[in-house]
Amino acid sequence: MAAKKSKALLITNGTVVTLGDNNKIISDGAVLIEDGVIQAVGKAAAVKKKARGAKVLDAKGRVIMPGFINTHMHLYSTFCRGLSPKQPPAKNFVEVLERLWWPLDKALNGRDVLYSSLIPLIDCIKNGTTTIIDHHESQSFQTGSLSVIEKACRQAGVRSVLTLGISDRYGKGEEGIQENIDFIGKIQAKQKRGDDMIAAMMGLHALFTVNDKSLKKSCDIANAVGCGMHVHIAEDKADQVANKKKYGKSVIERLHAAGGLGPKTLAIHCVHVSDREIGLMAKTGTCAVHNPESNMNNAVGVSPVMKMMERGVLVGLGTDAMTTDMKAEVRVANVFQKHAAKNSQVFFVEACNMLMKNNAKIASRFFNRPVGELKKGCYGDVVVMDYDPPTPMNGNTFLGHYLFGICAARVDSTIVNGRVLMQGGRLALNEKKINAESRKQAADFWKRF
């Protein structure tokens, strides 16, 4: 299925916030999108002259800004909502994996994957998240699994980067690698033809469940096709302990030795990384992704985000499927790092930058055009926020409005690739019907779990 082309769309009568390195705030502004790409941004009167025949979306004085980006998501986790593991309660992080997540991903079939994807994608739209970088696992349904998720992403209209996190824990690493190879080839061919709604990466679960053969082969493929790696890194101390015991290297050292670091590699969590490992990430341009709500929920510790940033590592923000709401996640990141540092004066700007700038820089590496900025030539991924600033909002005051106002506001409309997915809080998808089908499928899945 090709990306849906849209007619010209004029989003007008609002305060435009462009974001990007040179963020501009334009009162009485407008954005013109044609064929999924932004053609003009500026004062409404000037943009309207270029928009003859365009469909008009009236922002009614609200804030017009780029859609939010989630740089680490697990769509497959949806059916765990309300699910009770059949084993005794977990006492540590590894037992959480063994007693909940691994049995869950082992039981998924194709229809499970479809509906467990559609539900959070609807939530993405409602929360203004227009781009996700997803990490999938379904050990009993690997071959063809990414195409099922692609189908869901295209149906919902959310721009997505997809991968299967391969693992050797059930002896199916080679099958997982082949699924990634086949999907990457298909998607890269589509991107060359101009279909840029879906991108692909190589994925690993975590290095403590991946042997050296699978690791090296995955890294070699990623380097050969230039797609990058998506892998959980030292989320818990157990990852470091297992790698050092079996392979004599830390997690990042082992990934580096296999050729897996680089500007398109996403090192997820990085809670228990050493100074040496941070140095290797900085030297190779490897990106890290912070997932504060998940780290707090699993009680695995605090990622040294400030230290990584100080060393020059580009750190993005993800949810790890705890939520699809990046507006909430950035506020948690801000207070989490403050609390860990025991210093209320740190991380305010850094938290905003992770969501406003860093996620856009990371995601844009996987598409033909930039995302996350309202600028001519960028993809037309836009949200209209129901926010009327109670104090002056300008370049000097914007971050305060962003973190404590805009990110607490309701999303009125969501547009991806120039396609209106939600307007005035009303979805283009039939949410009620999809939820009903999902409940039936989840009930069946719970019997198999």
Side-chain angles (χ1 to χ4, degrees):
M1 183 188 300
K4 291 187 178 181
K5 291 288 186 180
S6 58
K7 294 182 179 179
L9 176 68
L10 175 67
I11 309 168
T12 188
N13 188 25
T15 299
V16 172
V17 177
T18 66
L19 297 189
D21 289 331
N22 299 305
N23 182 35
K24 296 178 182 177
I25 299 171
I26 306 167
S27 60
D28 190 20
V31 178
L32 176 63
I33 305 168
E34 294 180 3
D35 293 328
V37 179
I38 296 173
Q39 298 299 324
V41 180
K43 286 290 188 178
V47 176
K48 285 179 181 177
K49 293 178 181 179
K50 305 176 182 179
R52 293 177 182 174
K55 176 183 175 181
V56 176
L57 193 158
D58 186 352
K60 298 180 180 179
R62 298 181 177 94
V63 171
I64 304 167
M65 60 182 287
F68 299 101
I69 296 167
N70 184 352
T71 51
H72 182 64
M73 180 63 184
H74 292 295
L75 293 172
Y76 78 87
S77 70
T78 304
F79 283 0
C80 77
R81 298 185 195 180
L83 176 65
S84 297
K86 297 177 181 179
Q87 302 180 62
K91 297 178 181 178
N92 56 53
F93 179 71
V94 174
E95 288 187 356
V96 170
L97 297 177
E98 293 173 341
R99 299 181 184 185
L100 174 61
W101 294 114
W102 293 354
L104 182 144
D105 83 61
K106 190 177 181 182
L108 291 168
N109 64 28
R111 191 166 171 82
D112 297 330
V113 170
L114 176 64
Y115 279 96
S116 67
S117 298
L118 282 171
I119 297 302
L121 287 166
I122 288 172
D123 289 340
C124 284
I125 296 166
K126 291 162 73 173
N127 287 311
T129 299
T130 55
T131 298
I132 63 168
I133 302 181
D134 189 66
H135 187 277
H136 178 64
E137 295 183 41
S138 56
Q139 285 289 310
S140 291
F141 173 59
Q142 294 193 123
T143 303
S145 61
L146 293 177
S147 291
V148 172
I149 301 173
E150 178 195 2
K151 178 182 177 181
C153 294
R154 290 186 184 279
Q155 182 178 339
V158 175
R159 198 179 303 277
S160 306
V161 185
L162 306 179
T163 191
L164 174 69
I166 72 106
S167 173
D168 291 301
R169 62 181 180 271
Y170 297 126
K172 302 179 80 171
E174 188 64 35
E175 178 187 80
I177 291 171
Q178 190 61 48
E179 169 65 4
N180 276 324
I181 291 172
D182 293 344
F183 188 72
I184 290 166
K186 179 181 77 169
I187 294 302
Q188 288 190 340
K190 288 183 178 181
Q191 286 188 298
K192 287 179 181 178
R193 294 194 299 267
D195 181 351
D196 213 24
M197 282 296 295
I198 307 292
M201 302 180 69
M202 284 298 295
L204 306 172
H205 163 249
L207 266 63
F208 76 97
T209 70
V210 177
N211 63 38
D212 274 342
K213 180 181 177 182
S214 294
L215 173 61
K216 188 66 170 66
K217 185 171 183 178
S218 296
C219 293
D220 286 347
I221 293 164
N223 288 327
V225 300
C227 67
M229 303 285 295
H230 191 164
V231 53
H232 298 108
I233 296 290
E235 182 175 2
D236 186 82
K237 288 181 180 178
D239 194 7
Q240 292 286 22
V241 171
N243 277 278
K244 289 177 181 177
K245 181 178 180 180
K246 189 170 184 178
Y247 301 101
K249 296 183 179 70
S250 71
V251 181
I252 288 291
E253 288 172 339
R254 190 169 165 230
L255 186 58
H256 182 52
L261 299 184
K264 282 191 174 181
T265 288
L266 305 185
I268 311 302
H269 296 297
C270 297
V271 176
H272 299 281
V273 289
S274 67
D275 287 349
R276 170 171 165 72
E277 289 177 297
I278 293 172
L280 286 172
M281 292 170 65
K283 183 178 179 180
T284 56
T286 300
C287 306
V289 178
H290 184 36
N291 302 270
E293 285 192 75
S294 174
N295 295 162
M296 294 169 73
N297 183 64
N298 288 319
V300 293
V302 184
S303 176
V305 172
M306 289 188 284
K307 182 180 289 186
M308 287 191 284
M309 288 180 169
E310 289 168 359
R311 296 284 295 276
V313 176
L314 181 63
V315 183
L317 185 67
T319 66
D320 201 29
M322 284 289 293
T323 176
T324 62
D325 190 353
M326 297 308 300
K327 302 181 283 78
E329 195 72 30
V330 70
R331 288 158 66 89
V332 173
N334 178 48
V335 297
F336 188 36
Q337 292 291 327
K338 280 177 163 61
H339 180 73
K342 296 181 172 59
N343 184 350
S344 65
Q345 303 306 304
V346 302
F347 209 67
F348 168 63
V349 174
E350 290 84 353
C352 292
N353 283 341
M354 276 198 301
L355 183 56
M356 285 173 31
K357 297 181 180 181
N358 297 4
N359 276 8
K361 291 177 180 178
I362 290 170
S364 294
R365 296 178 181 188
F366 301 99
F367 297 105
N368 294 325
R369 293 176 179 271
V371 293
E373 183 176 359
L374 301 187
K375 182 180 179 180
K376 184 176 180 180
C378 295
Y379 280 121
D381 301 351
V382 184
V383 292
V384 178
M385 303 299 299
D386 192 6
Y387 183 66
D388 186 13
T391 61
M393 186 170 77
N394 52 47
N396 294 325
T397 66
F398 175 71
L399 291 186
H401 284 278
Y402 185 71
L403 193 60
F404 298 111
I406 292 172
C407 284
R410 180 184 72 91
V411 180
D412 177 81
S413 300
T414 302
I415 300 97
V416 179
N417 213 49
R419 177 184 170 195
V420 179
L421 307 182
M422 181 175 74
Q423 184 173 356
R426 298 188 64 176
L427 290 162
L429 287 172
N430 188 335
E431 181 181 12
K432 186 175 182 179
K433 180 179 179 181
I434 293 171
N435 277 336
E437 290 296 321
S438 179
R439 281 191 296 273
K440 292 178 184 178
Q441 192 62 32
D444 179 70
F445 170 80
W446 285 7
K447 294 176 183 176
R448 290 181 272 112
F449 175 75

